[in-house]
Amino acid sequence: MKGWILDLYPGAPGEMVVWLKREDGEAVRLVDRWSPSVFVAADSLADLKIPLEVLGDEVKWWRAVSKRERVTDAGTSEVVEVKVKDAKRARRVAARLERMGSFGAFRLYNADVPPNQTYLYEKDLFPLAYCEVAQNGCELSWRLMDDVRAYDYSMPNLRKVRLDAGVDRQGRLPRPTDRLREITLESDSGAVTIDGGGEAEKILELVRLVKEADPDFVLTRDGDTFLIPYLISRAEANGITGELVLDREGTALRTPAKKGVSYFQYGKIRYRPSAMKLYGRVHIDVNTSFAYSEGGFDGLFELSRVCRMPLQTSSRASIGKALSSLQFYHASRMGLLVPWKPTLAERFKDRSELLMADRGGFIFEPKVGLFEGVGELDLAALYPNSMLKKNISGEPVRCPCCADSENRVPELGWNVCEKAKGIVPTAIEIIVEKRLRYKELKKGARGVDYDRYNGRQAALKWLGVTTFGYLGFNNAKFGRIDAHIAVCAWDRKVLVDAARVAERRGYELLHGIVDSLWLKREGATEADYLELKAEMEEETGFP
């Protein structure tokens, strides 16, 4: 059977459910006998015997395996792989294990990686990948017929509907207790408004229409924050809770046990609602989906494919979470374990070193005035390119194995590993390469093709930007502030070197900030600026 991976999630204990969109347009439900593993390390593996025996009801089996426990480890070490019975309880199993020893006695890995993402990593698959799959007893056998690095990949004919509802508001804002006035379901073939009968009849007619249309995507505005919870509330009020079914599994919609959370970010209090996910269909709340808002469907699809995150997850995920998934995939391919709690600490710096190190990108004081004929030159993806070209990641910067490395951090003189490529540059390579290619492709494209390439490069742009910030994020699994500092140091060097090239050729520097320069020379033509650009690239080594 051939088709595209549309959705996947844990089913019954020991099962992974995968929905395949076949070439004939039908969506098929497949079940694979599979469950994830949690890895645990201790100074003495014998200390784990009794805790694992206590967890016998939660565990299928355990065994000693060789893995790279820490990203800074040069070789492998022996850890215990614990195969859990129920993928949904993997994190709970890890928490129980951790509590059975004294503080720090047991080190847990891969405990908080979502099971459906782990499945994609292990099988080397990705959402909307074109595959051939065979059912061998209780297990699925996959053959990937797609390439995540492809620029023009085939996509299935995906059916989409937009869902909305009208509320008879009794106050300024709609509430779950307000009566349902109407429901609108819009597809490519037109819109249908359900406004006849009572509330129960309207909801049941919605269920019938969705089943008849059999969409792959259900789009809403504020579906997570209000619309879906509101419909659940009205179904409960009318005694038809078990009949509000919008997915392909036949599962009635329920209010999630896990409530939404409020958090503080950049001086503002924000709210993240619980995800109202469907099974076998993809629900996208367009008002809360960053990937969709930046790149539309094309951007969302590209992000899901590259980062190997299920579509419903990536549509709600922050860019940092998507980037983490890409790093986790590469870690799994390298035999590197993903720590449950970050372990890389900042190296000690005295006051003078900290004063030199803790600086951001370079800024040239702008000249005040009005200027004409100014050339603006922008270094392309400078931060991602710095990580990629200079092997900047948490583990290579100031590594213990390459004290005499020729790859040194400017101004600080820190050594960077020359023997092994870091996990961050390994992960970011596909982002830099694909985004550059999409930008080239969209130059000669028109209409639908232009929108497609632009949406894809927009999604990849934010992945590249976030990679730098994540190096210094205290909860990043493979980040370290030393690497964040190294990127800034390279940025300052490259920008100043580029400015010196311009000044040698008689250009006046009007302004410069982080990765952009504004230059002027009387009588300079566009050809002169392009010639200057080529010389800057040759001297700095950066596009």
Side-chain angles (χ1 to χ4, degrees):
M1 184 187 308
K2 295 179 182 178
W4 293 263
I5 297 173
L6 180 65
D7 193 21
L8 71 161
Y9 47 85
E15 291 183 351
M16 180 60 66
V17 178
V18 183
W19 284 86
L20 197 73
K21 182 75 172 176
R22 294 196 321 204
E23 292 174 313
D24 61 4
E26 184 181 354
V28 181
R29 183 182 189 271
L30 304 171
V31 178
D32 198 355
R33 185 172 61 193
W34 179 90
S35 59
S37 295
V38 171
F39 296 85
V40 57
D43 292 338
S44 173
L45 295 187
D47 295 340
L48 287 166
K49 188 174 185 220
I50 293 176
L52 289 171
E53 288 174 352
V54 172
L55 285 172
D57 57 329
E58 299 264 28
V59 174
K60 279 185 176 182
W61 48 258
W62 67 83
R63 64 183 180 183
V65 295
S66 291
K67 294 281 184 179
R68 275 181 67 195
E69 184 185 343
R70 300 177 184 85
V71 71
T72 51
D73 291 348
T76 60
S77 56
E78 200 171 56
V79 298
V80 173
E81 179 184 3
V82 182
K83 180 69 72 172
V84 299
K85 288 182 179 179
D86 188 350
K88 299 171 187 174
R89 296 176 62 86
R91 190 164 182 167
R92 191 173 302 178
V93 170
R96 284 184 64 188
L97 256 174
E98 188 179 45
R99 289 194 300 268
M100 287 182 191
S102 58
F103 179 77
F106 301 145
R107 303 181 295 276
L108 278 299
Y109 298 89
N110 293 50
D112 58 343
V113 182
N116 44 10
Q117 289 175 210
T118 301
Y119 183 86
L120 292 172
Y121 306 158
E122 288 187 8
K123 306 291 183 180
D124 205 7
L125 301 171
F126 47 89
L128 294 174
Y130 183 61
C131 307
E132 184 176 31
V133 59
Q135 187 86 50
N136 299 323
C138 297
E139 297 181 351
L140 297 178
S141 175
W142 293 94
R143 184 167 76 92
L144 183 63
M145 303 171 68
D146 203 342
D147 186 355
V148 74
R149 292 182 175 272
Y151 304 105
D152 286 305
Y153 42 84
S154 64
M155 295 291 290
N157 183 22
L158 298 167
R159 295 188 291 270
K160 310 176 186 77
V161 297
R162 292 182 178 272
L163 173 63
D164 200 0
V167 181
D168 281 330
R169 291 185 296 175
Q170 300 303 304
R172 185 179 177 185
L173 297 173
R175 295 175 295 180
T177 53
D178 294 337
R179 292 185 63 80
L180 176 63
R181 184 177 70 249
E182 64 184 22
I183 301 174
T184 304
L185 199 66
E186 182 183 352
S187 65
D188 292 339
S189 57
V192 176
T193 300
I194 308 167
D195 55 6
E199 286 187 301
E201 286 80 8
K202 292 185 181 80
I203 292 171
L204 293 175
E205 179 64 7
L206 167 66
V207 172
R208 187 190 70 80
L209 289 175
V210 169
K211 186 175 181 180
E212 183 180 279
D214 193 25
D216 302 301
F217 286 82
V218 177
L219 280 73
T220 63
R221 291 191 178 276
D222 296 321
D224 287 343
T225 53
F226 179 76
L227 179 58
I228 302 297
Y230 171 74
L231 290 175
I232 294 171
S233 176
R234 299 322 301 156
E236 290 174 351
N238 287 272
I240 55 170
T241 303
E243 298 178 68
L244 179 55
V245 177
L246 298 181
D247 65 13
R248 283 182 166 132
E249 281 276 18
T251 306
L253 280 168
R254 294 279 194 275
T255 303
K258 185 179 179 181
K259 303 297 182 183
V261 295
S262 297
Y263 59 99
F264 190 78
Q265 182 184 61
Y266 297 118
K268 294 182 179 180
I269 296 176
R270 301 181 183 274
Y271 176 71
R272 183 186 296 117
S274 297
M276 304 300 302
K277 295 183 179 180
L278 303 177
Y279 298 109
R281 301 194 209 283
V282 179
H283 169 222
I284 297 177
D285 182 345
V286 299
N287 280 3
T288 59
S289 175
F290 182 83
Y292 182 85
S293 66
E294 288 296 315
F297 274 111
D298 291 303
L300 174 61
F301 295 164
E302 180 72 13
L303 185 78
S304 295
R305 284 169 62 98
V306 167
C307 296
R308 299 174 191 260
M309 294 180 77
L311 289 158
Q312 292 190 97
T313 304
S314 60
S315 72
R316 292 164 173 81
S318 66
I319 293 296
K321 190 173 182 180
L323 179 65
S324 293
S325 178
L326 178 58
Q327 293 178 358
F328 296 168
Y329 163 73
H330 284 285
S332 72
R333 307 313 294 177
M334 296 160 60
L336 171 64
L337 299 178
V338 178
W340 188 8
K341 292 155 188 179
T343 56
L344 282 181
E346 178 181 359
R347 290 181 180 272
F348 177 80
K349 303 171 187 65
D350 60 28
R351 284 178 295 179
S352 59
E353 187 178 29
L354 188 61
L355 186 65
M356 178 66 72
D358 194 15
R359 300 157 63 197
F362 197 84
I363 298 176
F364 289 99
E365 188 72 19
K367 294 191 176 181
V368 179
L370 177 65
F371 304 94
E372 294 182 351
V374 176
E376 178 182 352
L377 289 93
D378 181 79
L379 284 145
L382 177 57
Y383 281 10
N385 267 311
S386 297
M387 298 173 224
L388 185 60
K389 289 174 176 288
K390 302 302 178 181
N391 194 26
I392 299 177
S393 184
E395 70 279 20
V397 176
R398 307 179 79 176
C399 73
C401 59
C402 298
D404 297 327
S405 169
E406 293 184 6
N407 185 4
R408 318 295 293 193
V409 177
E411 301 173 358
L412 299 165
W414 296 346
N415 64 293
V416 180
C417 190
E418 293 182 314
K419 295 180 180 177
K421 191 174 182 179
I423 192 166
V424 170
T426 299
I428 206 174
E429 184 176 5
I430 187 173
I431 300 171
V432 173
E433 290 180 356
K434 292 200 77 176
R435 182 170 181 244
L436 180 62
R437 179 59 178 153
Y438 283 138
K439 289 178 75 174
E440 291 174 352
L441 287 170
K442 80 172 187 176
K443 288 178 183 177
R446 298 289 183 274
V448 176
D449 288 338
Y450 178 89
D451 293 338
R452 180 187 305 120
Y453 296 136
N454 190 50
R456 291 175 183 176
Q457 72 84 22
L460 295 177
K461 170 189 175 180
W462 287 108
L463 280 173
V465 169
T466 305
T467 305
F468 165 68
Y470 237 58
L471 281 175
F473 179 42
N474 64 331
N475 283 328
K477 307 289 189 180
F478 303 114
R480 184 184 258 174
I481 196 67
D482 297 330
H484 188 276
I485 287 169
V487 174
C488 289
W490 271 109
D491 162 75
R492 295 192 297 271
K493 174 176 170 48
V494 172
L495 191 73
V496 170
D497 286 351
R500 285 172 177 161
V501 172
E503 289 174 334
R504 284 202 309 262
R505 293 179 65 93
Y507 287 86
E508 181 186 8
L509 180 61
L510 300 177
H511 183 34
I513 180 168
V514 182
D515 61 356
S516 300
L517 293 169
W518 287 265
L519 306 161
K520 180 176 174 61
R521 191 180 73 184
E522 289 299 327
T525 63
E526 183 176 350
D528 293 325
Y529 283 112
L530 289 173
E531 187 178 334
L532 173 64
K533 168 183 174 290
E535 189 173 336
M536 284 178 171
E537 289 178 334
E538 183 178 355
E539 180 145 334
T540 64
F542 285 82

